[in-house]
Every structure is written in C-alpha cells, then in structure tokens.
DNA sequence: TCAAAAGTGTTGGGATTACACCCATGG
DNA sequence: CCATGGGTGTAATCCCAACACTTTTGA
C-alpha cells in the first residue's frame, strides 16, 4: 500500500502529513484552563514552543496518530479527542510541504503522568500566557478554543476535564474558563442541574471553604445519552 | 520545497492527499436540494458515482484544490466553500494510502455552467436519491448535510443557494429542504424578516402563482455583518 | 464572632410556539 | 367565480435573565 511503485495513482505527488494536538487540561488548584506545549526537537524551529504533534505513519489513521502522541506525552488513553481542522497552506512549514490535521483533546490534569511531560520538556500554559508558537500553532489553539466553546454549549464535554468526583464550584469555574468570562452562578447551577446529568454525593470537599462543597459525579447513562443527543445551553 | 531530497524531515513518509467536494445546489424548479456527483474516471472504482475531487498539488493548499475542481465542474468561482473534515483511515482507498480533506460548497444551480457538468459526466442528485458512492463519500455527504444544517441555523448560508432575487416561498422551501422537514411558514417569515437581512422589492415572481410573490434581495451590509457575527435561529 | 465560600428562589419581560383566515389574481 | 398559492396577527405559554440574601463552619 505505501510502496509508491504499487500505487494506482501514477501522477499524484505525495505530501507529508502531520497531526498536531491541542491538549486542554483544567488545573483544579489554580482553577485555570491550560494547554500543553513542548519545546520542538527538530529543525526548523528546534527549541521553540510548539503543540505536540507527529507525522502520520503509513499504518495509522490521523486520529490514531493524534491518540498516539497524546499517550506518549501524558500516558493517557481513550480520552476525548476530536478533529479540529486541516491546515494546508503551501508555505506553512519552511522545512518541507507539510499539511497538518489538528485535533484537540480534553484531559484531567490530575491524572496525567507528570514524568512523561517532564521528559518531553513540555509544560502547561494558561490561555492568556501562551508564548509564540511555531508555524500556525497559535491559530490552532485559537480555533480549538472556539470549537471547545461551541461544543461545551451542546454536549457535556466539560466533564472530560474534571476528575470523577467534583464540586459545583469547580465545574462553574471550569465553564468560566472555557468561555473566558464571568457567568451568573445561580443560573449556571439551574441549567446544569436541569440536564439531569449530575448525581449529588453526600461527601464534601472542604479544601476550599469551611462550609465545604458537595461532591457530584455524572449519571453515566444520562451522560452517554446527552453525548449523542446533545442539548443547547447558553451561559450568560 | 517539494523535492524530497531537500526535505528537513528525513524519516517522515509522505502520503497522497486528496480533496473531495460536496457541492450543494438548490434546484428552484423542482424545489429540491441537490448534490453534484460524477462518474469516477480512474481505477479503482472507475465508472462508479463519486464526489468531485482531486489530488492536492504541490503548489496549492487544500482549499485552493477544492476551489479548482469546483470551477472545473461548474465554471463558478468564489462561492461558499468550507472545510468539512479530513478522512484518513488507512484502508479507505484500495488504490493506495490516500487521505481526503472534504469540503462542501453551496452554489446557485441557475448560474452553473451546464456544459461543463455534462462534459464531466456529472449529474445532480436529490438527497434521498443518492446512489452508492465510492469509498467513504456517502459518509461525507451525510456529514456535510449535518454541517450545513448547523450552519444555516447560525449564519445566512442559505442565501448562497439562491439567485440574487428570490421570493420568500422559495427561501422557505429551501430551508425545508436543508432541514428535511416541514417548518411553520408564518414563524419562518417572522424569524427571517427579524434578522433585517431582507429587502423587499416591488417586483413579483408570478411563475408559481396568480397572485405572485414579492422578490427580495439581501441587505449586503447586514449580510456581511451577520456572516461574521452570526445569529441563532431554530426552525420548527 | 466573623470572614469566606456554598447554596438557594422569584419575578418581570421577552421570545416563541401554535394556530386559521383573508388576499390577489388569472383562467 | 373559484382555485391556487401568498400573505398576515395574536394569545397563551414558556423560558430566561437579572438579581441578594442566608447558611455553614473553622479559625
């Protein structure tokens, strides 16, 4: 299949195909949405900040490639991963003609493997502290955020960013981070609880207040249903 | 740039990159939304129905390639054209490893060059009469329709499918075609007129009724504003 | 006792759905 | 004059944004 001499398509010229992954994580301590970046290893632009990425191998699809590098950098498997856009300007990469299929994923920062990230000289950056990135990666991050916002309105994606047990104040702050604005907390609770997605537990998280905030978890059945059926909530 | 011997990326293996275009047109006579298909010229699958597509050339981006084949088949330039998704399964094309970046475009059926279409053995198919298509093209059409529906709710895309002067009954039927369902016509008028997008002319189209339906055209200023700002209308 | 965060309800206004009849015209 | 499609209005409902105070508890 990948031996060019056997190709049916004589006249076509192959192109290098990469994937880049905008990995979002929610830092529960700092209550900030962050993006994983690393220092690029290869020329051109070696040493500069970049999204994590890889060339697509002959025996893998783009989503498998994106998943592979996600695992490589975080140790995580089977997390939220969705295609964003394919970037294909002729001159985007001065090293060669390379198109890049961008993905974005949502992970729980608490569960990623810190060691892997350090080995790769990677780091988490807040949205408004993202440094200059190679090629069109800054555009990819911007596009990913828009898509995340759009998605968070229609489907329970936000929960991919939180640990299994979380509190409503945490969830609330996460959504404020996603939308990069202040949200009315009373209306937020109403709307989120109205989805029937949350199950209140009788334990509390007392790390952030004396009163303590109740833990919640998802109703898995409802979660899967809403993941496909969707809803439509605008947060103000 | 495209000479492999000069590539910085020694280890990467290039892949064939194609674009496929889901071209939608609204047939004003039959009041049907249609998709342009043609009989594939090359093996494998020569002679079978396919979306129009092409390999991406070394000197063009994917969107340029998609635009090029659109012009080739319809004679049209600078019409609505938007990226849909990149399909990259390893075995999707038995001829070779080929990934395809799918686009979709919206054109006015009345203005396309009929001759070009005939020369290419292409034809317009209603949505529910689409034959078996090669590879994953049927999936592309399905995905394109979903994206079109989503887009029509948020932006004035529907107007790309109509001639400069059109009537409200035409627009109404177009939206019913896009959503593949019946819509309340009184509420439809209210919602569409509320956008401030339409300018009523004092001429009438009498081809479909004795009373005649008033022509409308867009307010270009408002159109451009809403194209970027967007709105959010659900049609019931 | 008080500071700090968690939690809770109501109401007025605007938007939306559902719904049925009159109008204009050419044949 | 009538058949055909074009055009219009309203009432009841629902939804939602806006808004401020009480609770809990550890220090």
């Amino acid at each position: 299949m990948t031996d060019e001499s056997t190709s049916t398509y004589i006249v076509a010229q192959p192109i290098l195909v990469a994937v880049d992954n905008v990995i979002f994580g929610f830092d529960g301590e700092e209550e900030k949405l962050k993006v994983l970046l690393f220092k690029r290893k290869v020329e051109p632009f070696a040493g500069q900040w970049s999204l994590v990425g890889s060339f697509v191998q002959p025996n893998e699809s783009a989503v498998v490639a994106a998943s592979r590098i996600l695992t490589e950098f975080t140790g995580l498997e089977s997390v939220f991963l969705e295609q964003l856009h394919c970037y294909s300007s002729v001159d985007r990469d001065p090293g060669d003609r390379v198109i890049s299929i961008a993905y974005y994923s949502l992970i729980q920062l608490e569960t990623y493997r810190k060691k892997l990230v350090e080995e790769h000289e990677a780091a988490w950056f807040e949205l408004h502290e993202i440094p200059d990135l190679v090629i069109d990666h800054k555009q990819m991050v911007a596009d990913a955020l828009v898509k995340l916002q759009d998605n968070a309105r229609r489907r329970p994606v936000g929960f991919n960013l939180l640990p299994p047990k979380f509190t409503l104040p945490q969830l609330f702050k996460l959504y404020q981070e996603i939308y990069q604005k202040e949200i009315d907390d009373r209306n937020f609770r109403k709307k989120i609880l109205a989805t029937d997605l949350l199950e209140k537990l009788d334990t509390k998280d007392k790390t952030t207040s004396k009163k303590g905030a109740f833990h919640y978890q998802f109703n898995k059945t409802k979660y899967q249903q809403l993941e496909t059926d969707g809803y439509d909530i605008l947060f103000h």
Side-chain angles (χ1 to χ4, degrees), chain A residues 21 36 42 47 65 70 87-88 94 117 120 132 134 144 180 219 223:
Chain A
N21 198 346
L36 185 64
V42 299
L70 179 64
Y87 300 78
S88 66
V117 171
H120 284 88
D132 281 342
V134 300
Q180 297 280 298
N219 178 323
Y223 185 81

Side-chain angles (χ1 to χ4, degrees), chain A residues 67-68 70-72 74-80 107 111 113:
Chain A
S67 184
R68 171 170 57 73
L70 179 64
T71 305
E72 199 175 298
T74 66
L76 295 172
E77 298 184 34
S78 65
V79 300
F80 178 95
I107 74 167
T111 57
R113 309 273 175 83

Side-chain angles (χ1 to χ4, degrees), chain A residues 58 85 87 118 128 171 179 204 224 231 235:
Chain A
H85 192 78
Y87 300 78
E118 284 166 358
H128 58 274
L171 186 64
Y179 289 108
K204 279 187 168 186
Q224 284 163 357
Y231 45 68
F235 298 98

Side-chain angles (χ1 to χ4, degrees), chain A residues 40-223:
Chain A
R40 185 168 154 118
K41 296 283 183 294
V42 299
E43 291 294 346
F45 305 126
Q48 289 186 240
W49 288 106
S50 163
L51 290 172
V52 301
S54 164
F55 286 104
V56 174
Q57 302 301 312
N59 62 344
E60 68 183 1
S61 62
V63 67
V64 166
S67 184
R68 171 170 57 73
I69 56 149
L70 179 64
T71 305
E72 199 175 298
F73 273 80
T74 66
L76 295 172
E77 298 184 34
S78 65
V79 300
F80 178 95
L81 181 66
E82 196 172 280
Q83 194 181 118
L84 186 58
H85 192 78
C86 177
Y87 300 78
S88 66
S89 302
V90 175
D91 296 321
R92 53 183 293 282
D93 186 330
D96 198 351
R97 175 75 198 273
V98 183
I99 71 167
S100 174
I101 307 165
Y103 282 77
Y104 79 106
S105 38
L106 307 175
I107 74 167
Q108 298 163 16
L109 258 190
E110 276 67 21
T111 57
Y112 78 92
R113 309 273 175 83
K114 199 161 184 176
K115 194 150 156 286
L116 289 176
V117 171
E118 284 166 358
E119 281 167 6
H120 284 88
E121 277 195 273
W124 293 94
F125 287 83
E126 285 185 42
L127 289 179
H128 58 274
E129 291 181 349
I130 290 176
D132 281 342
L133 300 180
V134 300
I135 317 179
D136 45 14
H137 288 198
K138 204 139 194 179
Q139 185 63 45
M140 292 181 184
V141 174
D143 293 347
L145 182 62
V146 169
K147 190 133 184 169
L148 172 57
Q149 290 171 342
D150 204 55
N151 237 321
R153 168 184 170 176
R154 301 157 169 268
R155 295 196 325 216
V157 289
F159 304 104
N160 294 285
L161 293 155
L162 291 175
K165 291 182 185 181
F166 54 90
T167 67
L168 281 185
Q170 280 176 340
L171 186 64
F172 172 64
K173 279 158 193 154
L174 168 57
Y175 272 81
Q176 287 198 141
E177 276 289 297
I178 289 176
Y179 289 108
Q180 297 280 298
K181 69 175 185 186
E182 303 220 324
I183 299 174
D184 183 288
D185 66 331
R186 288 161 288 188
N187 292 335
F188 174 80
R189 279 167 183 264
K190 257 181 293 184
K191 289 176 183 182
I192 279 292
L193 290 173
T195 60
D196 235 10
L197 203 60
L198 300 184
E199 283 171 0
K200 190 176 185 174
L201 303 176
D202 40 13
T203 57
K204 279 187 168 186
D205 173 4
K206 295 208 165 192
T207 57
T208 54
S209 80
K210 292 158 183 174
K211 184 179 182 179
F214 279 104
H215 283 122
Y216 283 80
Q217 66 185 14
F218 327 111
N219 178 323
K220 276 200 180 178
T221 314
K222 193 73 184 175
Y223 185 81

